[in-house]
Amino acid sequence: MTRLGLIGLGGIMRGTHIPGIRQCPDFTVAAVCDIDPGALARTADELGIPEDRRFLDYRDLLACPDIDAVDIATPNDVHAPIALAAIAAGKPLSCEKPLALTAAAAESVAAAAKAAGLPNMVCFSYRYKSAARFARDIVRRGDIGRVHHVAIQYFQGWGLEDAHCPLVWRFVKARSGSGALGDLGSHAADLVPFVTGLRYRRIVGQCATVVPERPLPEDPLKTGPVDVDDYANYMAEMEGGATCCFQITRLAFGRGNYQRMEIYGSKGALVYTLDADHSGRDTLDLCLGNAMGAGGSYVRVDIPERYHAAQMQSYADVLQGRGDGLAATLDDGAANMRVMDAVLESQRTGRWIDLNA
Ligand SMILES: NC(=O)c1ccc[n+]([C@@H]2O[C@H](COP(=O)([O-])OP(=O)(O)OC[C@H]3O[C@@H](n4cnc5c(N)ncnc54)[C@H](O)[C@@H]3O)[C@@H](O)[C@H]2O)c1
């Protein structure tokens, strides 16, 4: 049984990680940490964590002898400092995405974990969608031939003016690194190589802020400036000559957590979707032409049970040395940050950016 220390008890920890931990027989939550005393008390009470294992400062949690590993789900600006401190304390770690504010910071985390020999994971959650995992096998075993084109959209709508979202940390560059790009585009930039096995060669992109001011959380009658992108469009050349177009936005009317990835190969094509009907469901449509005797038609496929996976169980497996190799590592998180940095640099310079990844 692995005794976990949870750091950052907000939306994703409470909504996704803790339910996943509850379903995982290999984990027990031993300690919790949040800088917000109310957030700390709420989750600690719910989980029955004793007073001496509730911490306002992550350094105190890391010094606690009763934890074997940590799970970091704070805002982006403190991912790298907490991850480095966890590594220095000899604690294996999972960390939310994007891994850091910059590729340089992400690389330092990955290098430190490697030097310390610590198991690690980055929470690229869509790797656990069964449709994505099935698509990965289909593409990698060559069923759709050589990949020519990928088109991926990740659309949410909560950033629209009418949603009146306050100026939370996601809209502040110093806390988030970037906006829709790092929040949603990081997932998309991870999913494409995860499924296709192709690395990025170079990137060109454009992103912008559309809603320039948002209500202050502490005083909704006042507003403050947004200094991150609301949307990001970028294009990548990949190894083998494939190209990939990304459309990423928080301003997609009527969209909840919508993803669509189309992959066109020399012998077939597939379409992965998520939350297309607001059910949260993932689907896979395949078009294999002659192989299916129905050229040109896309057929919804049943996804075999063996493709079902859970992020927290995957973390437990990584910690116990029995991972399936499909969880994102800190190295993957650093490579992903190089893509994020490249899009921002391309936006600044108007140029293609080589990745040398
Ligand atoms: N993998 C996914 O699909 C997914 C989805 C949503 C969010 N995320 C990521 O999860 C992270 C958290 O997002 P969220 O939506 O839960 O944010 P949130 O604002 O709801 O929660 C963040 C929590 O961290 C706490 N915190 C801030 N600084 C801290 C510190 N130094 N030490 C301890 N606690 C601290 C805050 O008080 C808050 O309770 C972000 O990096 C985000 O990108 C990932």
Side-chain angles (χ1 to χ4, degrees):
M1 182 71 75
T2 300
R3 300 166 302 169
L4 266 187
L6 310 183
I7 307 176
L9 309 173
I12 195 67
M13 181 64 85
R14 292 174 55 78
T16 301
H17 291 214
I18 290 173
I21 291 165
R22 285 187 194 276
Q23 285 176 5
C24 175
D26 303 312
F27 278 138
T28 180
V29 178
V32 289
C33 167
D34 199 292
I35 52 169
D36 174 346
L40 180 64
R42 182 166 66 147
T43 297
D45 287 349
E46 284 172 12
L47 296 176
I49 306 295
E51 288 295 335
D52 63 344
R53 284 193 261 120
R54 303 175 177 201
F55 302 101
L56 290 164
D57 188 321
Y58 66 84
R59 285 164 286 223
D60 295 330
L61 178 139
L62 292 172
C64 172
D66 301 321
I67 58 164
D68 304 312
V70 295
D71 183 33
I72 304 166
T74 59
N76 308 347
D77 57 330
V78 277
H79 288 174
I82 297 174
L84 287 170
I87 294 163
K91 303 294 180 194
L93 64 154
S94 78
C95 184
E96 266 301 347
K97 42 53 65 177
L99 179 52
L101 296 184
T102 63
E107 282 161 2
S108 69
V109 174
K114 193 167 288 172
L118 289 172
N120 58 79
M121 187 176 107
V122 178
C123 297
F124 283 117
S125 317
Y126 300 103
R127 290 187 176 212
Y128 303 96
K129 292 297 166 193
S130 53
R133 287 167 103 88
F134 192 20
R136 182 180 193 274
D137 266 7
I138 289 167
V139 174
R140 287 178 177 233
R141 72 183 176 222
D143 288 6
I144 66 165
R146 179 177 156 201
V147 173
H148 290 311
H149 301 299
V150 183
I152 183 163
Q153 299 175 323
Y154 192 171
F155 291 165
Q156 297 184 345
W158 58 272
L160 285 161
E161 291 93 325
D162 285 356
H164 303 295
C165 185
L167 190 74
V168 291
W169 64 266
R170 281 185 163 79
F171 297 107
V172 180
K173 187 174 171 63
R175 304 217 55 206
S176 59
S178 65
L181 174 64
D183 202 8
L184 313 181
S186 63
H187 280 299
D190 180 71
L191 204 48
V192 172
F194 175 73
V195 171
T196 64
L198 302 175
R199 285 176 302 179
Y200 301 113
R201 290 286 184 228
R202 58 181 196 145
I203 301 270
V204 68
Q206 180 264 341
C207 49
T209 312
V210 175
V211 184
E213 297 265 330
R214 291 186 181 269
L216 297 179
E218 60 278 12
D219 183 357
L221 296 177
K222 292 188 183 144
T223 63
V226 173
D227 61 357
V228 295
D229 57 283
D230 286 316
Y231 73 85
N233 296 320
Y234 46 105
M235 187 163 76
E237 277 182 14
M238 308 185 77
E239 60 186 357
T243 60
C244 181
C245 290
F246 295 80
Q247 277 185 295
I248 309 294
T249 184
R250 293 167 169 166
L251 307 177
F253 197 95
R255 292 302 185 190
N257 192 35
Y258 174 78
Q259 299 176 349
R260 181 179 178 91
M261 175 169 53
E262 305 186 4
I263 305 181
Y264 296 96
S266 55
K267 294 199 294 182
L270 61 80
V271 178
Y272 151 94
T273 70
L274 179 71
D275 201 33
D277 55 1
H278 290 274
S279 67
R281 200 162 61 102
D282 51 320
T283 63
L284 187 63
D285 293 352
L286 253 185
C287 180
L288 291 178
N290 291 336
M292 292 174 68
S297 61
Y298 283 77
V299 177
R300 175 79 31 105
V301 295
D302 289 331
I303 298 167
E305 188 61 33
R306 68 180 180 278
Y307 290 104
H308 290 260
Q311 182 172 277
M312 291 316 293
Q313 183 61 54
S314 176
Y315 182 35
D317 293 344
V318 165
L319 292 174
Q320 293 180 15
R322 53 165 202 229
D324 60 7
L326 300 190
T329 61
L330 291 171
D331 282 337
D332 295 322
N336 183 265
M337 277 309 303
R338 287 195 282 277
V339 176
M340 303 294 96
D341 279 12
V343 175
L344 294 177
E345 190 182 341
S346 178
Q347 162 63 26
R348 271 195 307 275
T349 60
R351 302 213 165 137
W352 282 90
I353 308 299
D354 286 333
L355 279 169
N356 305 316

